[in-house]
Amino acid sequence: MRTRTIGYATAAGIATFLVVFVAVSEVLLPYVEFSVLVGIPAGLVAGALAAAFVLSQIGQEDSPTRRNLAKALGTFGVVLLVVFVLGVVLRVGNTISLVAAAIIGVLAGAGVFVLSRE
């Protein structure tokens, strides 16, 4: 297993955790007092599944579609984390940074998926 694959899987897992954690916490905020306690496990499960998918599929030669999806998910994770950290460093604000990072990450992941299709 290559370092790039582990990096993609780690980035995909962390990014998916962040997006799912924030989304679930915000959606449940009006209904559940401590919505963060629901968002954390949901984010952990989603992040672990994303990381496992990238680790298991990025090197597979028999299914190019799943391999391309794994590359796209890994790229989404890397771009999201880079843009989010850049936004925090530039003091844009956590909410704006995460939303912008998610949008740019989705666009980058979709671009990688489209360009890597055979």
Side-chain angles (χ1 to χ4, degrees):
M1 193 168 300
R2 296 174 49 184
T3 306
R4 183 186 310 174
T5 304
I6 294 172
Y8 271 156
T10 303
I14 293 171
T16 305
F17 165 77
L18 283 173
V19 170
V20 171
F21 164 63
V22 170
V24 169
S25 297
E26 288 299 318
V27 166
L28 293 179
L29 188 61
Y31 308 108
V32 179
E33 187 170 346
F34 298 106
S35 62
V36 171
L37 296 177
V38 178
I40 290 174
L44 286 173
V45 169
L49 289 174
F53 177 75
V54 171
L55 276 175
S56 66
Q57 298 300 320
I58 206 161
Q60 297 296 323
E61 296 296 329
D62 58 341
S63 178
T65 302
R66 282 188 278 179
R67 183 181 66 240
N68 294 339
L69 282 173
K71 287 180 186 177
L73 185 57
T75 302
F76 161 76
V78 170
V79 170
L80 184 136
L81 293 176
V82 168
V83 172
F84 180 65
V85 168
L86 186 63
V88 170
V89 168
L90 295 175
R91 298 178 191 245
V92 175
N94 292 341
T95 304
I96 295 172
S97 295
L98 187 60
V99 170
I103 292 169
I104 295 169
V106 166
L107 292 174
V112 165
F113 179 74
V114 169
L115 292 176
S116 63
R117 291 178 67 179
E118 296 175 358

